[in-house]
Coordinates of all heavy atoms in Angstrom, one line a residue:
M738 N 0.8 -1.2 0.0 CA 0.0 0.0 0.0 C 0.9 1.2 0.0 O 1.7 1.4 0.9 CB -0.9 0.0 1.2 CG -1.8 1.2 1.3 SD -2.8 0.9 2.8 CE -3.2 2.6 3.2
A739 N 0.6 2.2 -1.0 CA 1.4 3.4 -1.1 C 0.9 4.4 0.0 O -0.3 4.5 0.3 CB 1.4 3.9 -2.4
T740 N 1.8 5.1 0.4 CA 1.5 6.3 1.4 C 1.8 7.6 0.7 O 2.9 7.8 0.1 CB 2.4 6.2 2.6 OG1 2.3 4.8 3.2 CG2 2.1 7.3 3.6
D741 N 0.8 8.5 0.8 CA 1.0 9.8 0.2 C 1.5 10.6 1.2 O 0.9 11.2 2.2 CB -0.3 10.3 -0.3 CG -0.2 11.6 -0.9 OD1 0.9 12.1 -1.2 OD2 -1.2 12.3 -1.3
Y742 N 2.8 11.1 1.2 CA 3.4 11.9 2.2 C 3.1 13.3 2.1 O 3.4 14.1 2.9 CB 5.0 11.7 2.3 CG 5.3 10.3 2.7 CD1 5.8 9.3 1.8 CD2 5.3 9.9 4.1 CE1 6.1 8.0 2.2 CE2 5.7 8.7 4.5 CZ 6.2 7.8 3.7 OH 6.4 6.6 4.0
D743 N 2.5 13.8 0.9 CA 2.2 15.1 0.8 C 0.8 15.5 1.2 O 0.4 16.6 1.3 CB 2.2 15.5 -0.8 CG 3.6 15.4 -1.3 OD1 4.5 15.7 -0.5 OD2 3.9 15.1 -2.5
A744 N 0.0 14.4 1.6 CA -1.4 14.7 2.0 C -1.3 15.4 3.5 O -0.4 15.0 4.3 CB -2.1 13.3 2.2
P745 N -2.3 16.2 3.8 CA -2.2 16.8 5.1 C -2.5 15.7 6.2 O -3.2 14.7 6.0 CB -3.5 17.7 5.1 CG -4.1 17.6 3.8 CD -3.3 16.6 2.9
R746 N -1.8 15.9 7.4 CA -1.8 14.9 8.4 C -2.9 15.1 9.3 O -3.3 14.2 10.1 CB -0.5 14.9 9.2 CG 0.6 14.6 8.2 CD 1.9 14.5 9.0 NE 3.1 14.3 8.1 CZ 4.2 14.0 8.6 NH1 4.5 14.0 9.9 NH2 5.1 13.6 7.7
K747 N -3.6 16.3 9.5 CA -4.6 16.6 10.4 C -6.0 16.4 9.6 O -6.2 16.7 8.5 CB -4.5 17.9 10.9 CG -3.3 18.1 11.9 CD -3.4 19.4 12.6 CE -2.3 19.6 13.6 NZ -2.4 20.7 14.4
T748 N -6.9 15.8 10.4 CA -8.2 15.7 9.8 C -9.0 17.0 10.3 O -8.6 17.8 11.1 CB -8.9 14.5 10.5 OG1 -9.0 14.6 11.8 CG2 -8.1 13.2 10.0
E749 N -10.2 17.1 9.7 CA -11.0 18.3 10.1 C -11.3 18.3 11.6 O -11.6 19.3 12.3 CB -12.3 18.3 9.2 CG -11.9 18.6 7.9 CD -13.3 18.5 6.9 OE1 -14.3 18.6 7.6 OE2 -13.2 18.4 5.8
E750 N -11.5 17.0 12.3 CA -11.8 16.9 13.7 C -10.7 17.5 14.6 O -11.0 18.2 15.5 CB -12.1 15.5 14.1 CG -13.2 14.9 13.4 CD -13.4 13.4 13.6 OE1 -12.5 13.0 14.4 OE2 -14.3 12.8 13.0
D751 N -9.5 17.3 14.0 CA -8.4 17.9 14.9 C -8.2 19.4 14.8 O -7.7 20.0 15.8 CB -7.1 17.3 14.3 CG -6.9 15.8 14.5 OD1 -7.7 15.3 15.4 OD2 -6.2 15.1 13.8
T752 N -8.7 20.0 13.7 CA -8.6 21.5 13.6 C -9.7 22.2 14.2 O -9.6 23.4 14.3 CB -8.4 21.8 12.1 OG1 -9.6 21.3 11.4 CG2 -7.2 21.2 11.5
E753 N -10.8 21.5 14.8 CA -11.8 22.2 15.4 C -11.6 22.7 16.7 O -12.5 23.3 17.4 CB -13.2 21.4 15.1 CG -13.6 21.3 13.7 CD -14.8 20.4 13.7 OE1 -15.4 20.0 14.6 OE2 -15.2 20.1 12.5
D754 N -10.5 22.3 17.4 CA -10.3 22.6 18.8 C -10.3 24.2 18.9 O -9.5 24.8 18.1 CB -8.9 22.0 19.3 CG -9.2 20.5 19.4 OD1 -10.3 20.0 19.4 OD2 -8.1 19.8 19.3
S755 N -10.8 24.7 19.9 CA -10.7 26.2 20.1 C -9.4 26.4 21.0 O -8.9 25.5 21.4 CB -11.9 26.7 20.8 OG -12.0 26.1 22.1
I756 N -9.1 27.8 20.9 CA -7.9 28.1 21.6 C -8.1 27.9 23.2 O -7.2 27.5 23.8 CB -7.7 29.6 21.3 CG1 -7.3 29.8 19.9 CG2 -6.6 30.2 22.3 CD1 -7.0 31.2 19.4
E757 N -9.3 28.2 23.7 CA -9.5 27.9 25.0 C -9.3 26.5 25.5 O -8.7 26.1 26.5 CB -11.0 28.4 25.4 CG -11.2 29.8 25.5 CD -11.3 30.4 24.0 OE1 -11.7 29.6 23.1 OE2 -11.1 31.5 23.8
E758 N -9.8 25.6 24.7 CA -9.5 24.1 24.9 C -8.2 23.8 24.9 O -7.6 23.0 25.8 CB -10.2 23.3 23.8 CG -11.7 23.3 24.0 CD -12.4 22.5 22.8 OE1 -11.8 21.5 22.4 OE2 -13.7 22.7 22.6
L759 N -7.4 24.3 24.0 CA -5.9 24.1 23.9 C -5.2 24.5 25.2 O -4.3 23.9 25.7 CB -5.3 24.6 22.6 CG -5.7 24.0 21.4 CD1 -5.2 24.8 20.2 CD2 -5.4 22.5 21.3
K760 N -5.6 25.8 25.6 CA -5.0 26.3 26.8 C -5.3 25.5 28.0 O -4.4 25.4 28.9 CB -5.4 27.9 27.0 CG -4.9 28.8 25.9 CD -5.3 30.2 26.2 CE -4.7 31.1 25.3 NZ -5.3 32.5 25.4
S761 N -6.4 25.1 28.1 CA -6.9 24.3 29.3 C -6.1 22.9 29.3 O -5.7 22.5 30.4 CB -8.4 24.0 29.3 OG -8.7 23.2 28.2
H762 N -5.9 22.3 28.1 CA -5.0 21.1 28.1 C -3.6 21.4 28.5 O -3.0 20.6 29.3 CB -5.1 20.5 26.7 CG -6.5 19.9 26.3 ND1 -7.0 18.8 26.9 CD2 -7.3 20.2 25.3 CE1 -8.1 18.6 26.4 NE2 -8.4 19.4 25.4
R763 N -3.0 22.5 28.2 CA -1.8 22.8 28.4 C -1.5 23.0 30.0 O -0.6 22.7 30.6 CB -1.3 24.1 27.7 CG 0.2 24.4 27.8 CD 0.6 25.5 26.9 NE 0.3 26.7 27.6 CZ 0.4 27.9 27.0 NH1 0.7 28.0 25.9 NH2 0.0 29.0 27.7
T764 N -2.5 23.8 30.5 CA -2.4 24.1 32.0 C -2.6 22.8 32.8 O -2.0 22.8 34.0 CB -3.4 25.2 32.5 OG1 -4.7 24.8 32.1 CG2 -3.0 26.5 31.8
E765 N -3.3 21.9 32.4 CA -3.6 20.6 33.1 C -2.4 19.8 33.2 O -2.0 19.1 34.2 CB -4.7 19.8 32.3 CG -6.1 20.3 32.6 CD -7.1 19.6 31.7 OE1 -6.8 18.7 31.1 OE2 -8.2 20.0 31.8
K766 N -1.6 19.8 32.1 CA -0.3 19.1 32.1 C 0.9 19.7 32.9 O 1.7 18.9 33.3 CB 0.2 18.9 30.5 CG -0.7 18.0 29.8 CD -0.3 17.9 28.4 CE -1.2 17.1 27.5 NZ -0.7 17.1 26.1
Q767 N 0.9 21.0 33.1 CA 1.9 21.5 33.9 C 1.7 21.3 35.4 O 0.5 21.3 35.9 CB 1.9 23.1 33.6 CG 2.3 23.4 32.2 CD 2.4 24.9 31.9 OE1 1.8 25.6 32.6 NE2 3.0 25.3 30.8
S768 N 2.7 21.3 36.1 CA 2.6 21.1 37.5 C 3.4 22.3 38.2 O 4.3 22.8 37.7 CB 3.4 19.9 37.9 OG 3.6 19.7 39.2
S769 N 2.8 22.7 39.3 CA 3.4 23.8 40.0 C 4.4 23.3 41.0 O 5.0 24.2 41.7 CB 2.2 24.6 40.8 OG 1.6 23.8 41.7
A770 N 4.5 22.1 41.2 CA 5.6 21.5 42.1 C 7.0 21.8 41.6 O 7.3 21.6 40.4 CB 5.3 20.1 42.4
V771 N 8.0 22.2 42.4 CA 9.4 22.4 42.1 C 10.1 21.1 42.2 O 9.9 20.5 43.3 CB 9.9 23.5 42.9 CG1 11.3 23.8 42.6 CG2 9.0 24.8 42.7
D772 N 10.9 20.8 41.3 CA 11.8 19.6 41.5 C 12.9 20.0 42.5 O 13.9 20.7 42.1 CB 12.3 19.2 40.1 CG 12.9 17.8 40.2 OD1 12.9 17.2 41.3 OD2 13.5 17.5 39.1
V773 N 13.0 19.3 43.6 CA 13.8 19.8 44.6 C 15.3 19.1 44.3 O 16.4 19.6 44.6 CB 13.5 19.2 46.0 CG1 14.4 19.6 47.1 CG2 12.2 19.9 46.4
D774 N 15.3 17.9 43.5 CA 16.5 17.3 43.2 C 17.6 18.1 42.3 O 18.7 18.0 42.5 CB 16.2 16.0 42.5 CG 15.4 15.0 43.2 OD1 15.5 15.0 44.6 OD2 14.8 14.2 42.6
E775 N 16.9 19.1 41.6 CA 17.8 19.9 40.8 C 18.7 20.8 41.7 O 19.9 21.1 41.5 CB 17.1 20.7 39.8 CG 16.5 19.8 38.6 CD 15.7 20.6 37.8 OE1 15.6 21.9 37.7 OE2 15.1 20.1 36.8
T776 N 18.0 21.3 42.7 CA 18.8 22.2 43.7 C 19.8 21.4 44.4 O 20.9 21.9 44.8 CB 17.9 23.0 44.5 OG1 17.1 22.0 45.3 CG2 17.0 23.9 43.7
D777 N 19.5 20.3 44.7 CA 20.4 19.3 45.5 C 21.7 19.1 44.6 O 22.9 19.0 45.1 CB 19.8 18.0 46.0 CG 18.8 18.2 47.0 OD1 18.8 19.3 47.7 OD2 18.0 17.3 47.2
L778 N 21.4 18.9 43.4 CA 22.6 18.7 42.4 C 23.4 19.8 42.3 O 24.7 19.7 42.2 CB 22.1 18.2 41.0 CG 21.4 16.8 41.0 CD1 20.9 16.5 39.6 CD2 22.4 15.7 41.4
A779 N 22.8 21.0 42.3 CA 23.6 22.2 42.1 C 24.5 22.5 43.2 O 25.7 23.1 43.2 CB 22.6 23.4 42.0
D780 N 24.2 22.0 44.5 CA 25.1 22.1 45.6 C 26.4 21.3 45.5 O 27.4 21.6 46.2 CB 24.4 21.7 46.9 CG 23.2 22.7 47.3 OD1 23.3 23.9 46.8 OD2 22.3 22.3 47.9
A781 N 26.4 20.3 44.8 CA 27.6 19.4 44.5 C 28.6 20.0 43.7 O 29.7 19.5 43.6 CB 27.1 18.1 44.0
Y782 N 28.3 21.1 42.9 CA 29.3 21.5 41.9 C 30.2 22.5 42.7 O 29.8 23.2 43.5 CB 28.7 22.4 40.9 CG 27.8 21.5 39.9 CD1 26.5 21.7 39.8 CD2 28.3 20.5 39.2 CE1 25.7 21.0 38.8 CE2 27.6 19.7 38.3 CZ 26.3 20.0 38.2 OH 25.6 19.2 37.3
E783 N 31.5 22.3 42.4 CA 32.6 23.3 42.9 C 32.8 24.4 42.0 O 33.1 24.1 40.7 CB 33.9 22.4 43.2 CG 33.7 21.3 44.3 CD 33.5 22.0 45.6 OE1 33.8 23.1 45.9 OE2 32.9 21.3 46.5
L784 N 32.9 25.5 42.5 CA 33.1 26.7 41.5 C 34.6 26.8 41.3 O 35.4 26.4 42.3 CB 32.5 27.9 42.2 CG 31.0 27.9 42.3 CD1 30.6 29.3 43.1 CD2 30.3 27.9 41.0
P785 N 35.1 27.4 40.3 CA 36.5 27.5 40.0 C 37.0 28.5 41.1 O 36.4 29.5 41.4 CB 36.6 28.2 38.5 CG 35.3 27.9 37.9 CD 34.3 27.7 39.1
G786 N 38.2 28.3 41.5 CA 38.8 29.1 42.6 C 38.2 28.8 44.0 O 38.6 29.6 44.9
A787 N 37.5 27.8 44.2 CA 37.0 27.5 45.5 C 38.1 26.9 46.4 O 39.0 26.3 45.9 CB 35.9 26.4 45.5
D788 N 38.0 27.2 47.6 CA 39.1 26.7 48.6 C 38.8 25.3 48.8 O 37.9 24.8 49.6 CB 39.0 27.5 49.8 CG 40.1 27.1 50.9 OD1 41.1 26.5 50.4 OD2 39.9 27.4 52.1
L789 N 39.7 24.3 48.4 CA 39.6 22.9 48.6 C 40.6 22.4 49.5 O 40.9 21.2 49.5 CB 39.7 22.2 47.2 CG 38.6 22.6 46.2 CD1 38.9 21.9 44.9 CD2 37.3 22.3 46.7
S790 N 41.2 23.3 50.3 CA 42.4 22.9 51.2 C 41.9 21.9 52.1 O 42.7 21.1 52.7 CB 43.0 24.1 51.8 OG 42.1 24.8 52.5
G791 N 40.7 22.0 52.7 CA 40.2 21.0 53.7 C 39.7 19.8 53.2 O 39.3 18.8 54.0
E792 N 39.7 19.5 51.9 CA 39.2 18.3 51.2 C 40.1 17.2 51.4 O 41.5 17.4 51.2 CB 38.8 18.5 49.8 CG 37.6 19.5 49.7 CD 36.3 19.0 50.2 OE1 36.0 17.7 50.1 OE2 35.5 19.8 50.8
E793 N 39.8 16.0 51.5 CA 40.7 14.8 51.5 C 40.5 14.1 50.2 O 39.5 14.0 49.7 CB 40.3 13.9 52.7 CG 40.6 14.5 54.0 CD 40.3 13.4 55.1 OE1 40.4 12.2 54.9 OE2 39.9 13.8 56.2
L794 N 41.5 13.5 49.8 CA 41.6 12.8 48.6 C 41.1 11.5 48.8 O 41.6 10.7 49.7 CB 43.1 12.6 47.9 CG 43.2 12.1 46.6 CD1 42.4 12.8 45.5 CD2 44.6 12.0 46.2
L795 N 40.0 10.9 48.0 CA 39.4 9.7 48.4 C 39.8 8.7 47.3 O 39.3 7.5 47.4 CB 37.9 9.8 48.3 CG 37.3 10.9 49.3 CD1 35.8 10.9 49.1 CD2 37.5 10.4 50.8
V796 N 40.7 8.9 46.4 CA 41.2 8.0 45.4 C 42.7 7.7 45.8 O 43.4 8.4 46.1 CB 41.1 8.7 44.0 CG1 41.7 7.7 43.0 CG2 39.7 9.2 43.7
R797 N 42.9 6.4 45.6 CA 44.2 5.9 45.9 C 45.1 6.0 44.6 O 44.6 5.5 43.5 CB 44.1 4.3 46.3 CG 45.4 3.8 46.6 CD 45.3 2.3 47.1 NE 46.5 1.6 47.1 CZ 46.7 0.4 46.7 NH1 45.5 -0.3 46.7 NH2 47.9 -0.2 46.8
V798 N 46.1 6.7 44.7 CA 47.0 7.1 43.6 C 48.2 6.2 43.7 O 48.9 6.1 44.6 CB 47.4 8.5 43.6 CG1 48.4 8.8 42.5 CG2 46.3 9.4 43.6
L799 N 48.4 5.4 42.5 CA 49.5 4.6 42.4 C 50.7 5.2 41.5 O 50.3 5.9 40.4 CB 49.1 3.2 41.7 CG 48.2 2.4 42.4 CD1 47.8 1.1 41.6 CD2 48.7 2.0 43.7
P800 N 51.9 5.0 41.8 CA 53.0 5.4 40.9 C 53.0 4.8 39.6 O 52.5 3.6 39.5 CB 54.3 5.3 41.7 CG 53.9 4.1 42.7 CD 52.5 4.3 42.9
P801 N 53.6 5.3 38.5 CA 53.6 4.5 37.2 C 54.4 3.2 37.5 O 55.3 3.1 38.1 CB 54.5 5.4 36.4 CG 54.3 6.8 36.9 CD 54.1 6.6 38.4
Q802 N 53.7 2.2 36.9 CA 54.2 0.8 37.0 C 55.4 0.6 35.9 O 55.7 1.4 35.2 CB 53.1 -0.3 36.6 CG 52.0 0.1 37.7 CD 52.3 -0.2 39.1 OE1 52.9 -1.3 39.5 NE2 52.0 0.6 40.0
A803 N 56.1 -0.5 36.0 CA 57.2 -0.8 35.2 C 56.9 -0.9 33.7 O 57.6 -0.6 32.8 CB 57.9 -2.2 35.6
D804 N 55.6 -1.3 33.3 CA 55.2 -1.4 32.0 C 54.4 -0.1 31.7 O 53.8 -0.1 30.5 CB 54.4 -2.6 31.7 CG 53.0 -2.6 32.6 OD1 52.9 -1.9 33.7 OD2 52.1 -3.4 32.4
E805 N 54.6 1.0 32.3 CA 53.9 2.3 31.9 C 54.9 3.4 31.7 O 56.0 3.3 32.2 CB 52.8 2.6 33.1 CG 51.8 1.5 33.1 CD 50.8 2.0 34.3 OE1 51.3 2.5 35.3 OE2 49.7 1.6 34.3
F806 N 54.5 4.4 31.2 CA 55.3 5.7 31.1 C 54.4 6.9 31.0 O 53.2 6.8 30.9 CB 56.0 5.6 29.7 CG 55.2 5.9 28.4 CD1 55.2 7.1 27.8 CD2 54.4 4.8 27.8 CE1 54.4 7.4 26.7 CE2 53.7 5.0 26.8 CZ 53.7 6.4 26.1
T807 N 54.9 8.0 31.2 CA 54.1 9.3 31.2 C 54.5 10.0 30.0 O 55.7 10.4 29.7 CB 54.4 10.2 32.4 OG1 54.1 9.3 33.6 CG2 53.6 11.4 32.4
C808 N 53.5 10.3 29.2 CA 53.8 11.1 27.9 C 54.2 12.5 28.3 O 53.6 13.2 29.1 CB 52.4 11.1 27.0 SG 52.6 12.1 25.5
F809 N 55.1 12.9 27.5 CA 55.7 14.3 27.9 C 54.8 15.4 27.3 O 54.9 16.6 27.8 CB 57.2 14.4 27.3 CG 57.8 15.6 27.7 CD1 58.3 15.7 29.1 CD2 58.2 16.7 26.9 CE1 59.0 16.9 29.5 CE2 58.8 17.7 27.3 CZ 59.3 17.8 28.7
N810 N 54.0 15.0 26.4 CA 53.0 16.0 25.7 C 51.7 16.2 26.5 O 51.4 17.2 26.9 CB 52.8 15.7 24.3 CG 52.1 16.8 23.6 OD1 52.4 18.1 23.7 ND2 51.1 16.3 22.7
C811 N 51.0 15.1 26.7 CA 49.7 15.1 27.3 C 49.7 14.8 28.9 O 48.8 14.8 29.5 CB 48.7 14.2 26.6 SG 49.1 12.4 26.8
F812 N 50.9 14.4 29.3 CA 51.1 14.0 30.7 C 50.2 12.8 31.2 O 49.9 12.8 32.5 CB 51.0 15.2 31.7 CG 52.0 16.3 31.3 CD1 51.6 17.3 30.5 CD2 53.3 16.2 31.5 CE1 52.4 18.4 30.1 CE2 54.1 17.1 31.1 CZ 53.8 18.3 30.4
L813 N 49.7 12.0 30.4 CA 48.9 10.8 30.7 C 49.8 9.6 30.8 O 50.7 9.4 30.2 CB 47.8 10.5 29.7 CG 46.7 11.6 29.6 CD1 45.8 11.2 28.5 CD2 45.9 11.8 30.9
V814 N 49.5 8.8 31.9 CA 50.2 7.5 32.1 C 49.6 6.4 31.2 O 48.4 6.2 31.3 CB 50.1 7.1 33.5 CG1 50.9 5.7 33.6 CG2 50.7 8.1 34.5
K815 N 50.5 5.9 30.3 CA 50.1 5.0 29.3 C 50.9 3.7 29.4 O 52.0 3.8 29.9 CB 50.2 5.6 27.9 CG 49.4 7.0 27.8 CD 48.6 7.0 26.5 CE 47.8 8.3 26.5 NZ 46.9 8.3 25.4
H816 N 50.4 2.7 28.6 CA 51.1 1.5 28.5 C 52.4 1.6 27.7 O 52.2 2.4 26.7 CB 50.2 0.2 28.1 CG 50.9 -1.0 28.1 ND1 51.6 -1.6 27.1 CD2 51.0 -1.9 29.2 CE1 52.0 -2.8 27.6 NE2 51.7 -3.0 28.8
R817 N 53.4 1.0 27.9 CA 54.6 1.1 27.0 C 54.4 0.8 25.5 O 55.0 1.2 24.7 CB 55.7 0.1 27.5 CG 56.4 0.8 28.8 CD 57.8 0.4 28.8 NE 58.7 1.0 29.6 CZ 59.2 2.2 29.6 NH1 58.5 3.2 28.9 NH2 60.2 2.7 30.2
S818 N 53.3 -0.1 25.2 CA 53.0 -0.3 23.9 C 52.4 0.9 23.1 O 52.4 0.9 21.9 CB 51.9 -1.4 23.8 OG 50.8 -1.1 24.4
Q819 N 52.3 2.0 23.9 CA 51.7 3.2 23.2 C 52.8 4.1 22.9 O 52.6 5.3 22.5 CB 50.6 3.8 24.2 CG 49.4 3.0 24.3 CD 48.6 2.9 23.1 OE1 48.4 3.9 22.4 NE2 48.1 1.7 22.8
I820 N 54.0 3.8 23.2 CA 55.1 4.8 22.9 C 55.2 5.0 21.3 O 55.4 4.0 20.6 CB 56.4 4.3 23.4 CG1 56.4 4.2 25.0 CG2 57.6 5.1 23.0 CD1 57.6 3.6 25.7
A821 N 55.2 6.2 20.9 CA 55.4 6.4 19.5 C 56.9 6.8 19.3 O 57.4 6.4 18.2 CB 54.5 7.6 19.1
R822 N 57.4 7.7 20.0 CA 58.9 8.1 19.9 C 59.4 8.6 21.2 O 58.8 8.9 22.1 CB 59.0 9.1 18.8 CG 58.6 10.5 19.3 CD 58.7 11.5 18.1 NE 58.0 12.7 18.5 CZ 58.7 13.8 18.7 NH1 60.0 13.9 18.8 NH2 58.0 14.9 19.0
E823 N 60.7 8.7 21.2 CA 61.5 9.2 22.3 C 62.4 10.2 21.7 O 63.2 10.0 20.8 CB 62.4 8.1 22.9 CG 63.2 8.6 24.1 CD 64.0 7.5 24.7 OE1 63.8 6.4 24.4 OE2 64.7 7.9 25.7
K824 N 62.3 11.5 22.3 CA 63.2 12.7 21.9 C 63.8 13.3 23.1 O 63.1 13.7 23.9 CB 62.3 13.5 21.0 CG 63.1 14.8 20.5 CD 62.1 15.7 19.8 CE 63.0 16.8 19.1 NZ 62.1 17.8 18.5
D825 N 65.0 13.4 23.1 CA 65.7 14.1 24.2 C 65.4 13.5 25.6 O 65.2 14.0 26.6 CB 65.4 15.6 24.3 CG 65.9 16.4 22.9 OD1 66.9 15.8 22.4 OD2 65.2 17.3 22.6
G826 N 65.3 12.1 25.6 CA 65.0 11.5 26.9 C 63.5 11.5 27.3 O 63.2 10.9 28.3
H827 N 62.6 12.1 26.5 CA 61.2 12.2 26.8 C 60.5 11.2 25.9 O 60.7 11.2 24.7 CB 60.7 13.6 26.6 CG 61.4 14.6 27.4 ND1 61.3 14.7 28.9 CD2 62.2 15.7 27.0 CE1 62.1 15.6 29.3 NE2 62.6 16.3 28.3
L828 N 59.4 10.6 26.5 CA 58.6 9.7 25.7 C 57.4 10.3 25.3 O 56.8 11.2 26.1 CB 58.3 8.5 26.6 CG 59.5 7.6 27.0 CD1 59.1 6.6 28.0 CD2 60.2 7.1 25.8
Y829 N 56.8 10.0 24.0 CA 55.6 10.6 23.4 C 54.7 9.5 23.2 O 55.1 8.4 22.5 CB 55.8 11.5 22.3 CG 56.7 12.7 22.7 CD1 58.1 12.6 22.6 CD2 56.1 13.8 23.0 CE1 58.7 13.8 23.0 CE2 56.7 15.0 23.3 CZ 58.2 14.9 23.3 OH 58.8 16.1 23.6
C830 N 53.4 9.5 23.4 CA 52.4 8.5 23.0 C 52.0 8.6 21.6 O 52.1 9.7 20.9 CB 51.2 8.5 24.1 SG 50.1 9.9 23.7
K831 N 51.3 7.5 21.1 CA 50.8 7.5 19.7 C 49.8 8.4 19.5 O 49.7 9.0 18.4 CB 50.3 6.1 19.4 CG 51.4 5.0 19.4 CD 50.8 3.7 19.1 CE 51.9 2.6 19.0 NZ 51.3 1.3 18.7
E832 N 48.9 8.8 20.4 CA 47.8 9.7 20.2 C 48.4 11.2 20.0 O 47.9 12.0 19.2 CB 46.9 9.8 21.4 CG 46.1 8.5 21.5 CD 45.1 8.5 22.6 OE1 44.9 9.6 23.3 OE2 44.6 7.5 23.1
C833 N 49.5 11.6 20.7 CA 49.9 12.9 20.6 C 50.8 13.0 19.3 O 50.9 14.1 18.7 CB 50.9 13.2 21.8 SG 50.0 13.5 23.3
E834 N 51.3 11.9 18.8 CA 52.1 11.9 17.5 C 51.3 11.8 16.3 O 51.7 12.1 15.2 CB 53.0 10.8 17.5 CG 54.2 10.9 18.5 CD 55.0 12.2 18.2 OE1 55.5 12.3 17.1 OE2 55.3 12.9 19.2
S835 N 49.9 11.5 16.5 CA 49.1 11.3 15.3 C 48.4 12.7 14.9 O 48.5 13.6 15.6 CB 48.0 10.4 15.4 OG 47.2 10.6 16.6

């Protein structure tokens, strides 16, 4: 069965709604209650320049392992298989070299 995509999608019954009816439907769907969760989430954000001297680090940081290196360009710790080149004693990863 072929579909005529140029045909109007609304029927005459759909277009007979008055403006008052449409406004009443819109106000019924809206709620006056405020979502409290959004304000709770906003409290978790730290602003730039905030004093974090009293915060404790909750992540255990490990030094680079024997099979890892730190890229001299992006300063990320990567596996030794990601070494693209060594220049002046500094190692560079494949992502920085591409």
